[in-house]
Amino acid sequence: MLIVAWALLQAQTVPPPQQTPPPPPPPPMHGGMVPMTCPIGGERFSGWQAGSYSTYGERPDGRPYSYLHFPFPVPECPGNHLVVFDNFPDADKAALAMLIATPAYARLVAEGDTPYYRASWLSARLSRPEPVSLGWLQAALWADTPGFIDPLDSTEAGKRRARYASEFVDRVRRLPSDTSMKDRLWLTARAANQLRQMGDFAAAETMRHDAMAMLGQPGVGDGWDDYLAKLGPVIARRDASVEPLDMIPVREAAYRCAKPGKTPLSAMETRLCAKPTIAAEAAKVAK
């Protein structure tokens, strides 16, 4: 009886073992908000994280077509506005803390520069490879160029887009000498397209020829010959549109032809919509 009483007493006085908190749930299959900790200051917040997704072609500026919206949201710490565009090693954190405390970064935040642009700004100052920083600048251009718009508009978004585009082209023209030929080719090709969208067709054609001169060199990859061949006629007809119908997937071109919405088809688009491959698909869309 004493042994039983002692066992009951122990059961009442010994604290239960500590339970390990469960891990946070994974993001939704195609992406969603997950708990995050700001690398500078430790603030807890929720940020978007990509899941699984697929794409089906891309615009001339590289923005993919997908059932998800590109560019993906980039997490930003609410308090200090740090854009968490990377898994920062400890070696970067002291530099990051100083960068986001500068008047220059505060001005980028106050003046409405996008998180993608600020990611490019921080990336360059952390001495990331220039193609990486320019990749974020390209994402900034995607974010400010939603689709069938006038690329020369004078709205605030248009002015910001023009500034980002000019910076992209200037930086491609000044790529470091150690940039790989593969990176130099894709950046030069995209810069040629960007000049086209800016309406500088002579410079776009010069840049396109610069890119074509790199074709066939070791390590440059495949596919750019087709891209540059298609870009030539678009430049020649002085087409500054974001999504020329003969440079995007037929499916997207057909939707544009069948359902132009509030943005009327241009005369050039009307002619391209009559091409048999696009017209046949547009007829299906219209049903």
Side-chain angles (χ1 to χ4, degrees), residues 74-75 83-88 96 118-119 122-123 126 128 136:
V74 56
V83 181
V84 188
F85 64 91
D86 199 358
N87 292 321
F88 301 114
L96 275 173
R118 284 182 276 130
L122 289 168
S123 175
L126 290 174
R128 295 288 196 274
W136 283 109

Side-chain angles (χ1 to χ4, degrees), residues 36-286:
M36 297 187 69
T37 301
C38 188
I40 306 299
E43 181 182 21
R44 301 284 294 175
F45 68 105
S46 293
W48 198 89
Q49 181 176 311
S52 62
Y53 64 92
S54 60
T55 62
Y56 54 94
E58 61 187 25
R59 298 190 320 197
D61 65 359
R63 180 180 172 182
Y65 289 106
S66 174
Y67 47 83
L68 293 181
H69 182 79
F70 277 81
F72 293 155
V74 56
E76 178 178 345
C77 303
N80 59 26
H81 299 288
L82 170 65
V83 181
V84 188
F85 64 91
D86 199 358
N87 292 321
F88 301 114
D90 289 340
D92 282 346
K93 291 180 181 178
L96 275 173
M98 289 189 289
L99 284 167
I100 63 175
T102 60
Y105 192 77
R107 188 162 54 251
L108 294 180
V109 174
E111 294 180 357
D113 279 291
T114 64
Y116 310 100
Y117 183 80
R118 284 182 276 130
S120 177
W121 190 91
L122 289 168
S123 175
R125 284 154 184 79
L126 290 174
S127 300
R128 295 288 196 274
E130 183 70 339
V132 173
S133 299
L134 286 171
W136 283 109
L137 183 51
Q138 183 175 243
L141 284 162
W142 296 348
D144 269 334
T145 313
F148 296 98
I149 60 171
D150 176 2
L152 305 178
D153 73 79
S154 59
T155 64
E156 286 306 310
K159 293 175 184 177
R160 184 170 59 234
R161 182 169 54 250
R163 175 163 54 87
Y164 292 174
S166 294
E167 180 177 336
F168 183 86
V169 172
D170 290 344
R171 287 171 65 177
V172 170
R173 285 174 168 153
R174 296 181 286 104
L175 284 171
S177 59
D178 61 352
T179 304
S180 72
M181 189 59 66
K182 180 178 180 180
D183 285 334
R184 191 174 293 274
L185 173 57
W186 79 261
L187 285 164
T188 303
R190 297 299 189 202
N193 178 72
Q194 201 61 61
L195 283 163
R196 175 192 66 79
Q197 289 184 198
M198 294 162 68
D200 192 343
F201 301 107
E205 183 63 5
T206 298
M207 187 76 82
R208 186 179 77 91
H209 278 280
D210 290 345
M212 289 178 66
M214 303 177 204
L215 294 173
Q217 297 194 38
V220 300
D222 299 323
W224 289 106
D225 50 349
D226 183 60
Y227 174 90
L228 292 166
K230 289 180 177 178
L231 184 61
V234 181
I235 293 172
R237 69 178 184 243
R238 304 178 68 82
D239 184 343
S241 61
V242 176
E243 296 174 275
L245 299 187
D246 47 353
M247 283 198 75
I248 63 177
V250 171
R251 168 182 169 178
E252 293 297 319
Y255 269 93
R256 169 65 177 155
C257 294
K259 299 180 179 181
K262 295 180 180 180
T263 308
L265 295 173
S266 67
M268 175 55 66
E269 286 178 318
T270 300
R271 289 194 291 273
L272 290 170
C273 287
K275 292 180 67 173
T277 52
I278 297 177
E281 191 67 24
K284 298 176 187 176
V285 172

